[in-house]
Amino acid sequence: MLLKLRCTGGFTGPAGAQTRTLDLARLPKDQAAELQSLIHATDFFALPPTLTKSAPKSWDFQYDLEVCEDGKQPHCVRYHLDEAPAPLKELTEKINETDPD
């Protein structure tokens, strides 16, 4: 399973975009299992494509998370943390904390 998280916003706007890519097969088993558990707790593949604020501020962080399971169509969700369900917020935090190498 491949996870790609792109974050834009804050005071740097789109120019300060950061992207993190994680291949769960390359992570330690405990970290991979924790991330996979959060993906399932979020019911990620059933989420709508957008979970954003109706009137975001220019400094709000916006996330695009794409999850691709082996052999399946990738699913991408664009969201603000304020609009995300709790497991998606936790998943975002864990992805940002995980060292991809």
Side-chain angles (χ1 to χ4, degrees):
M1 185 177 291
L2 188 65
L3 311 178
K4 185 185 288 187
L5 179 67
R6 185 170 190 262
C7 177
T8 58
F11 291 103
T12 60
Q18 294 182 346
T19 301
R20 295 184 59 77
T21 302
L22 298 176
D23 182 351
L24 296 190
R26 299 186 73 201
L27 294 176
K29 289 185 193 270
D30 60 329
Q31 285 182 325
E34 182 179 27
L35 292 170
Q36 199 159 19
S37 175
L38 286 168
I39 290 165
H40 292 296
T42 302
D43 199 8
F44 186 80
F45 293 97
L47 289 175
T50 57
L51 295 167
T52 55
K53 296 178 182 181
S54 58
K57 305 291 185 207
S58 62
W59 55 82
D60 286 336
F61 287 103
Q62 180 175 283
Y63 296 89
D64 292 285
L65 178 58
E66 181 179 277
V67 177
C68 185
E69 282 190 300
D70 298 330
K72 293 185 181 177
Q73 182 76 14
H75 183 63
C76 187
V77 177
R78 174 171 284 172
Y79 59 98
H80 292 112
L81 285 179
D82 297 352
E83 298 296 319
L88 183 55
K89 290 179 189 178
E90 187 175 353
L91 177 60
T92 303
E93 291 172 9
K94 294 292 181 186
I95 292 171
N96 281 326
E97 292 171 358
T98 302
D99 184 8
D101 294 325

